[in-house]
Amino acid sequence: SGIFGATGTGKSFLTRMVLAGLMKTDVASALVFDMHNEYGYDDRDSDRDKTVHGLKSMFGQKMQIAALGKGARVRENSPDFTLELALSDFGTADILLLSETLDLNDTAAVVLSALERAHRESWFAEFMKLRPGATVEDDNGKRIPAPDSVAGWATSHNIHPAAAESLHRKLQPIFHKPYVVEQPAADAVAAIADFLENGKHIILSFGEHDNELDYIVVSNILTRRIRQEWVRKMESSKSLGGAPPRPMVIVIEEAHKLLNPQVAGQTAFGTIARELRKYNVTLLIVDQRPSGIDDEVMSQLGTRVTGWLGDEDDIRAVLSGLAGRDQLRGMLARLQEKEEVLLLGWGVKMPIPVRSRRYDEKFYGEMRGRSGPSTKRDEPYTADDLNRDLF
């Protein structure tokens, strides 16, 4: 499913409400990649100049906040736990996803392939141990690359030394991230999977690590590993007859960074989008530029919730594959910013504009259990339930 709207149209508030409804009705666990630290802790609504509750305030320990790196804080709050990535978590495909961000040239793929053949899962750690530019003197007094240098390794593996040196230099920003370590104190990814399987929800707040490099690296690696665990559990369930893994929704902001046509086929998110619900894992993508998302991914979206969009390409992307696009375009153009959205797709029998409810004290009370949705866990969650609970 997807939530779309131009910047400033209230996507974050709408996403909070949808997530709160999902958590309240207990239909699935949620893993939220919170690039801008908006969903977990209380925030400030600049339009109304008042504090609004984060999901942590409403759901307490059922909602776990994770942050990147030992000692990390999120909006001056201590998270429930911190997360570190091991060097062995990185696959060469994870690096190739960053070709544009790291300005990698075409020879980087050749070097990465050679590293993987030589060192398997320890390729990153072994490569970064090599010394750039190190030389020794041979028997004739000539300076040659040292055996433990980048150029020395490249020569011994029939790789152009300059290509290896360039890749080594461009990987330094990742290698020196405070949340990337050779041996983490604990397997935080396994802990996240355990929380999700036991009915809790995880918000990964990026804190000060909120640039594109951090977001792509962390979200893709975590999603790939967690998806592998869900696939294993589902296959075990089918083979041995046990319970299937708990349904999970992975929420990604700035989805066009991870699902654009250049990388969608290589990311874990692109794989999940194509598999749909085969392994009890689905995506909720949140974006202000749906035109930047791969067409194949957009075609797989079941339910679309969209606010006002001003760009014609974005409107075309949101309405792709739907009948009566001219009328729907007119409905989108007439939406009131921050008040109305258009519901499209599987969740409703026909496209319908609705006025969103307010994210206010009444809503907080309902989510905390004083009143609200009555849908039980074992009942299907219908479009009528969605309209009652959220709109």
Side-chain angles (χ1 to χ4, degrees):
S1 53
I3 294 176
F4 305 108
T7 300
T9 55
K11 289 189 303 300
S12 295
F13 284 104
L14 189 61
T15 304
R16 283 193 193 99
M17 286 194 287
V18 171
L19 287 173
L22 181 148
M23 296 169 190
K24 175 67 176 176
T25 53
D26 198 33
V27 294
S29 292
L31 171 61
V32 183
F33 291 106
D34 188 3
M35 185 178 183
H36 303 300
N37 311 307
E38 295 177 309
Y39 299 116
Y41 294 110
D42 294 355
D43 201 357
R44 194 76 183 170
D45 181 355
S46 57
D47 288 347
R48 294 183 292 170
D49 192 28
K50 63 185 298 185
T51 299
V52 293
H53 289 344
L55 295 172
K56 181 71 172 177
S57 296
M58 286 186 276
F59 294 96
Q61 287 305 303
K62 193 174 181 180
M63 168 59 64
Q64 296 285 297
I65 308 293
L68 291 176
K70 186 177 180 180
R73 295 178 66 81
V74 180
R75 294 187 182 273
E76 300 306 317
N77 295 285
S78 296
D80 294 295
F81 65 96
T82 57
L83 180 145
E84 294 175 321
L85 296 180
L87 292 173
S88 58
D89 287 332
F90 286 80
T92 54
D94 298 318
I95 302 302
L96 289 175
L97 286 178
L98 300 164
S99 293
E100 184 176 343
T101 305
L102 296 177
D103 192 26
L104 301 182
N105 52 38
D106 294 338
T107 59
V110 178
V111 180
L112 288 167
S113 179
L115 284 166
E116 192 170 44
R117 289 196 303 271
H119 304 294
R120 299 187 181 276
E121 68 276 359
S122 62
W123 71 268
F124 198 0
E126 295 300 323
F127 187 45
M128 300 313 288
K129 289 177 183 176
L130 299 175
R131 297 185 297 155
T135 61
V136 296
E137 196 173 271
D138 66 8
D139 295 339
N140 299 318
K142 182 180 179 181
R143 305 300 297 183
I144 61 173
D148 64 343
S149 69
V150 177
W153 175 88
T155 301
S156 66
H157 288 80
N158 297 317
I159 298 295
H160 195 289
E165 293 274 8
S166 175
L167 179 62
H168 191 275
R169 183 175 64 256
K170 291 175 180 179
L171 289 180
Q172 294 290 336
I174 298 177
F175 182 70
H176 290 294
K177 290 290 183 183
Y179 57 82
V180 176
V181 298
E182 187 160 5
Q183 187 62 49
D187 189 346
V189 179
I192 287 175
D194 186 62
F195 278 129
L196 294 170
E197 184 61 54
N198 285 283
K200 294 192 175 182
H201 312 280
I202 304 289
I203 292 180
L204 175 58
S205 290
F206 282 73
E208 62 183 13
H209 309 293
D210 59 352
N211 61 48
E212 184 174 318
L213 175 62
D214 298 300
Y215 191 56
I216 295 176
V217 166
V218 174
S219 59
N220 188 61
I221 289 177
L222 287 185
T223 300
R224 174 167 49 78
R225 284 195 55 189
I226 291 171
R227 174 190 166 275
Q228 288 170 350
E229 182 67 11
W230 252 246
V231 169
R232 183 190 66 78
K233 290 180 178 181
M234 180 61 81
E235 294 298 341
S236 176
S237 170
K238 292 178 179 178
S239 301
L240 304 177
R246 177 177 168 82
M248 175 174 57
V249 177
I250 298 177
V251 183
I252 53 174
E253 296 184 290
E254 305 285 352
H256 64 276
K257 298 181 185 297
L258 301 159
L259 290 169
N260 62 66
Q262 290 72 41
V263 304
Q266 306 172 58
T267 65
F269 303 104
T271 302
I272 293 171
R274 291 190 296 275
E275 290 173 345
L276 290 174
R277 302 193 302 177
K278 187 185 300 183
Y279 297 108
N280 275 8
V281 181
T282 57
L283 295 180
L284 169 59
I285 62 179
V286 184
D287 209 296
Q288 73 273 18
R289 291 306 307 269
S291 59
I293 299 173
D294 183 63
D295 290 342
E296 183 181 359
V297 173
M298 289 295 293
S299 70
Q300 298 294 334
L301 288 180
T303 301
R304 310 173 196 193
V305 182
T306 181
W308 182 84
L309 289 165
D311 185 89
E312 185 61 32
D313 290 338
D314 293 330
I315 294 173
R316 188 181 302 112
V318 166
L319 301 180
S320 63
L322 299 173
R325 287 189 292 274
D326 289 340
Q327 292 92 331
L328 294 176
R329 185 178 286 106
M331 293 168 71
L332 268 178
R334 290 190 294 272
L335 291 177
Q336 295 295 312
E337 293 184 26
K338 301 184 180 182
E339 292 187 12
E340 296 177 332
V341 294
L342 185 63
L343 297 181
L344 311 157
W346 296 346
V348 290
K349 296 178 181 178
M350 64 178 65
I352 179 172
V354 296
R355 184 178 297 275
S356 171
R357 66 175 301 173
R358 299 295 87 188
Y359 191 78
D360 55 16
E361 294 295 335
K362 179 181 178 183
F363 182 81
Y364 307 152
E366 291 183 7
M367 294 303 103
R368 285 169 174 154
R370 290 194 287 271
S371 62
S374 59
T375 303
K376 296 180 180 178
R377 176 71 175 86
D378 56 353
E379 294 178 348
Y381 195 69
T382 68
D384 289 340
D385 295 323
L386 175 69
N387 287 324
R388 182 193 67 230
D389 294 345
L390 300 181
F391 303 104

